[in-house]
Amino acid sequence: IYYHNLKTKKMLSQNLSFDKLLIDVEPEVWKLTSETKEIGGYNCYKATTLQKVEGRKGIMYRSVTAWYTPQISVPFGVQNFRGLPGLTLELSIDGKIFFKVIKLEFSPKEKIVIIKPKGKIISSVEFNNKLKEMTLLRN
């Protein structure tokens, strides 16, 4: 579950293994480029970042490429990847994991109500420490 509040610019993520914890996700630092391509009739721009991932093998970095369109000026993206000056329509991680918008619907018939998930808010560092503790307990 991902929750993004545009007013406070806060992003919370709820990991399925820890349903009572909400991870306060720090925004990615994007490098915007002038490279463009068309996706679904929208002019999109390329942005890149490196995502720091802490795992059993230590700290690794994954290359993330996003294609966003300023024609839809909302900073939403895929999962935790947000903060670009337009909607992300395509995203790839290490050139192996791909996400792509298939359909956009701008006029839903029902009003959409987004409710903030409930749980204890912890930082990404605290969450990673919890994962390490669990790994140590299993060994």
Side-chain angles (χ1 to χ4, degrees):
I1 295 173
Y2 300 94
Y3 172 81
H4 187 174
N5 186 318
L6 285 176
K7 290 180 185 172
T8 64
K9 298 188 180 184
K10 281 288 188 185
M11 164 71 94
L12 299 174
S13 172
Q14 189 173 42
N15 185 295
L16 294 177
S17 301
F18 302 93
D19 65 346
K20 301 297 181 202
L21 294 178
L22 298 173
I23 305 149
D24 186 358
V25 180
E26 293 295 320
E28 301 292 337
V29 177
W30 292 99
K31 178 183 175 193
L32 306 181
T33 74
S34 59
E35 189 175 339
T36 63
K37 76 175 181 178
E38 186 178 308
I39 300 172
Y42 294 96
N43 189 33
C44 295
Y45 292 86
K46 181 180 179 179
T48 60
T49 191
L50 288 176
Q51 180 191 35
K52 181 179 175 181
V53 179
E54 199 167 337
R56 291 181 186 156
K57 297 178 182 178
I59 295 173
M60 301 181 310
Y61 291 90
R62 301 191 312 178
S63 173
V64 180
T65 301
W67 291 90
Y68 68 93
T69 180
Q71 291 172 271
I72 306 171
S73 60
V74 293
F76 298 126
V78 177
Q79 296 179 338
N80 292 338
F81 301 102
R82 73 206 192 271
L84 290 165
L87 182 66
T88 299
L89 297 183
E90 189 174 296
L91 186 121
S92 68
I93 302 170
D94 283 340
K96 299 175 187 171
I97 302 169
F98 297 93
F99 298 90
K100 188 171 184 174
V101 169
I102 306 241
K103 178 181 176 184
L104 290 173
E105 186 175 322
F106 292 103
S107 301
K109 293 182 174 53
E110 304 93 33
K111 182 179 178 182
I112 297 172
V113 178
I114 299 172
I115 300 169
K116 180 180 175 182
K118 294 182 181 178
K120 179 183 175 188
I121 297 174
I122 64 171
S123 70
S124 296
V125 171
E126 290 172 300
F127 180 71
N128 284 334
N129 288 337
K130 282 195 172 298
L131 288 177
K132 284 179 193 174
E133 287 173 22
M134 287 182 62
T135 304
L136 290 174
L137 291 174
R138 280 193 240 160
N139 293 335

